[in-house]
Amino acid sequence: MSAPPESLVSTLAESRRAGRLMAKFPTTVPLEPDSAYDLQIQLNAAVGGTVVGWKIGCTNAWAQQLTGTDEPFYGRMHEETTFDSPADLAGLAFASPIVEPEIAFRFHRDLTPAEAPFTLRQVLDATAALAPAIEVVDCRFEGGWSPTLAETIVDNGVHACFVAGSWRSDWADIDRLGLTVAVTVNGDPVTDGVGANALDDPANALLWLANRVTGRGETLHAGDIVTTGNIANAAVHAKPGDHAVCDFGPLGRVEATFRQGDADPERTE
């Protein structure tokens, strides 16, 4: 007999608190995305923390192929794991972290279900600022990066932490689509990318989130940060001691350091 889906929430919450990996998905019950998002809410309540915004995953074509989906997914970001660049990530336990260069937006007003559905113009009009960013994603299942879409959604979109560069209020004339990023680790070039890798325009990801979240009856709040997905051309796996820099040219640069001992959480039996 399969375990109930709620057992995934309790097991994930305990794994996060104890810094352990889960041996496997503790249920064979297939989950539709909306059911998985309901469990994501339960996980966030169990883990605690102050929500400051949203992450969007799988806005990049190769990431969608890897995850086996044709649309993005989202998770919540928390104050306790949100940092300004340059960020020292000592004290955070990672298993198999990936550094993702992303373009982040910050809202200056609420977007409510009563107003939905939104247009691209409306979400851009609600945007106060843009920033270059790094999202660190991390798979908490033993065996690494092979979770299903449902597992990924329930595990808060595999969000680990967020690092923001300088926020720009004069963002309107920035070429989001053509904006390039160069990623180095310990001074060595590892990959590059372009803004159009995120759903052809990071603002398209922002629009998707606004309509998906409000369509579920939730509100995006003034001050919320939204990071719009990986724009790199390849995955950047980080190791303890690595120093990652994402240089977005005219938008600025973001830095994060993984200290020795940041990785290798305990495994569950």
Side-chain angles (χ1 to χ4, degrees):
M1 181 180 295
S2 63
E6 290 75 11
S7 67
L8 176 58
V9 173
S10 59
T11 305
L12 268 173
E14 178 57 30
S15 297
R16 284 170 173 261
R17 283 190 290 265
R20 297 190 182 98
L21 292 182
M22 290 178 54
K24 62 179 180 179
F25 191 50
T27 177
T28 58
V29 177
L31 293 174
E32 294 300 319
D34 277 316
S35 298
Y37 284 124
D38 290 341
L39 293 178
Q40 182 188 113
I41 292 173
Q42 294 181 33
L43 175 69
N44 276 270
V47 172
T50 303
V51 175
V52 295
W54 309 79
K55 64 79 46 92
I56 311 174
C58 279
T59 59
N60 189 311
W62 65 261
Q64 288 188 357
Q65 183 176 18
L66 181 68
T67 310
T69 182
D70 59 359
E71 73 167 39
F73 60 82
Y74 67 79
R76 290 156 170 82
M77 301 197 299
H78 297 88
E79 182 178 15
E80 294 78 4
T81 51
T82 294
F83 308 95
D84 292 326
S85 177
D88 185 337
L89 303 181
L92 298 182
F94 298 110
S96 49
I98 293 177
V99 173
E100 297 188 344
E102 307 194 0
I103 298 172
F105 295 69
R106 189 175 65 212
F107 290 127
H108 67 78
R109 74 170 185 88
D110 292 355
L111 298 176
T112 68
E115 302 171 272
F118 296 96
T119 66
L120 183 60
R121 184 70 266 158
Q122 286 173 312
V123 295
L124 290 176
D125 286 346
T127 298
L130 256 62
I134 287 173
E135 186 198 5
V136 179
V137 296
D138 196 17
C139 180
R140 294 173 182 83
F141 291 93
E142 197 166 56
W145 288 97
S146 59
T148 66
L149 178 61
E151 290 170 329
T152 300
I153 291 172
V154 176
D155 192 21
N156 200 31
V158 294
H159 177 69
C161 69
F162 173 77
V163 182
S166 298
W167 288 95
R168 294 274 300 273
S169 59
D170 59 336
W171 58 270
D173 292 329
I174 291 174
D175 178 11
R176 299 183 304 271
L177 285 68
L179 187 69
T180 60
V181 65
V183 183
T184 60
V185 175
N186 305 324
D188 297 324
V190 291
T191 191
D192 55 10
V194 63
N197 281 345
L199 289 186
D200 298 324
D201 179 351
N204 290 335
L206 188 71
L207 175 62
W208 174 86
L209 179 81
N211 286 324
R212 190 70 173 92
V213 170
T214 57
R216 284 178 44 82
E218 300 183 75
T219 294
L220 298 170
H221 295 284
D224 276 1
I225 298 167
V226 179
T227 190
T228 52
N230 192 0
I231 66 169
N233 289 319
V236 179
H237 295 267
K239 305 183 303 297
D242 279 350
H243 177 69
V245 177
C246 298
D247 190 338
F248 292 77
L251 190 60
R253 53 190 273 153
V254 194
E255 303 180 38
T257 301
F258 296 79
R259 297 298 180 187
Q260 292 291 339
D262 287 351
D264 196 25
E266 297 179 21
R267 266 65 176 170
T268 55
E269 296 297 331

